[in-house]
Amino acid sequence: MNPRWRWRGSVALLAVCLAFVIYPLLPNDDVINSDWPAFATGARLIVSDPGHLYDLDVQQRVERDVTGGRVLVTLGIHGILPFLAPAWVALLAVPFEALGTDLGGRLWILFGLACLAGGLYLATRPRPPTAILPAFASVPTALVLLNAQLDGIVALGLGGAIALWSRPYLAGLALGLTLMKPQLVLPVGVALLVARRWKAIAGWAGAGAALLAATLLLNPRWIVDWLGHTRSTVAAGSREVDLPHLGVLLPDAAQTVAIACLTVVAIAGVLWLASRRRDDFPSAAAVVIAGGVLAAPHALPADLALVALALALWGQARWFDWLALSLAALFCAVAAAPAPAFVGVALIAWVCLRAGGFFTRRSPGPAPASAR
């Protein structure tokens, strides 16, 4: 590409990135119209009534107080957007909720964007910082912003693990951040087991144990309560972008088995693709990261931010890859189910195949600094 046009493109992408950062500061940004009320509800309950953290009747009362009485009119559960994340997410949201619903929500969104930018930067080192611009300026980042979602924290954990790959214990500790959305990193866990990366697994397990211990002290039964509600997140009407979601198209009696089988099939396919590029760390890691969204039992359009992270890490994405990502993410965010599942699966499969050596020239991408 002509250097002048490359420079102009970088300036345009930087302008989009700045717009994303400025948007939560504008007075017309309504943080109530996002997932923030659910996180704020969890934050209040983990402090005031941790024994009822996943009690939907209690959540309904608290969330209406958070929203000032406004009621969810889109697809929800029990008339609200419930808090169904792991209990440590509620702990993380406590200092933000303490600042008030509006200010705390805006800072929560900015915190997520900062984590996403940090994860992209760590994953793309030693390339210039401009390498993160196509990923950060993509539609999935806008969806993370508008929904006040946790994908930036997950991206920071993955980027930190990549940057610390030569220090496996620390890499595993960094992966602890991915436990904010553990369903998105199933292939990562299986890949570490297959590769016998025991030190990284130990670090990851240590981080998980610390989070678990802190939350069990507050509510010893939260895991049972949480698991009891996880199936409710997989609904036929939700805009999912993962392969296992196609299982909800089957009769009710077969759905659970179908979702489990499709998850296993997706993980196996992702690991097979990654194994083809075992000599090319960025490509193999990109397949595993993007494949985490494909294999997740529950993944929404905002989770495509991790596919953007995978493309940035791979380092060989062309303009049409970024365009396809943004167009598909936009479609998945507005189209009615089950169309987003088919488009999302097709997009992620394309990214995995590209990073896995199909439809592209086999040229190893730049290894992260810690892997050299």
Side-chain angles (χ1 to χ4, degrees), residues 39-128:
F39 297 129
T41 297
R44 288 194 183 186
L45 286 174
I46 199 73
V47 172
S48 62
D49 191 5
H52 293 89
L53 181 60
Y54 297 102
D55 187 321
L56 296 186
D57 291 321
V58 176
Q59 283 196 26
Q60 185 178 50
R61 183 178 68 253
V62 174
E63 187 164 313
R64 286 186 176 177
D65 182 56
V66 168
T67 62
R70 294 168 61 179
V71 180
L72 184 71
V73 295
T74 55
L75 182 66
I77 301 172
H78 208 69
I80 61 172
L81 186 63
F83 175 79
L84 297 178
W88 44 74
V89 175
L91 281 179
L92 179 65
V94 167
F96 296 92
E97 196 281 327
L99 297 172
T101 300
D102 187 68
L103 177 59
R106 294 173 189 273
L107 292 177
W108 174 265
I109 293 171
L110 289 173
F111 172 68
L113 291 178
C115 289
L116 178 58
L120 289 168
Y121 171 73
L122 291 173
T124 55
R125 290 193 321 156
R127 282 178 280 159

Side-chain angles (χ1 to χ4, degrees), residues 273-287 313-316 354-357 360-368 371:
L273 275 177
S275 69
R276 299 181 72 252
R277 307 304 299 271
R278 64 173 63 91
D279 58 339
D280 180 358
F281 179 82
S283 296
V287 171
L313 169 62
W314 180 40
Q316 300 178 50
R354 288 266 291 156
T360 186
R361 295 177 181 177
R362 291 184 66 97
S363 56

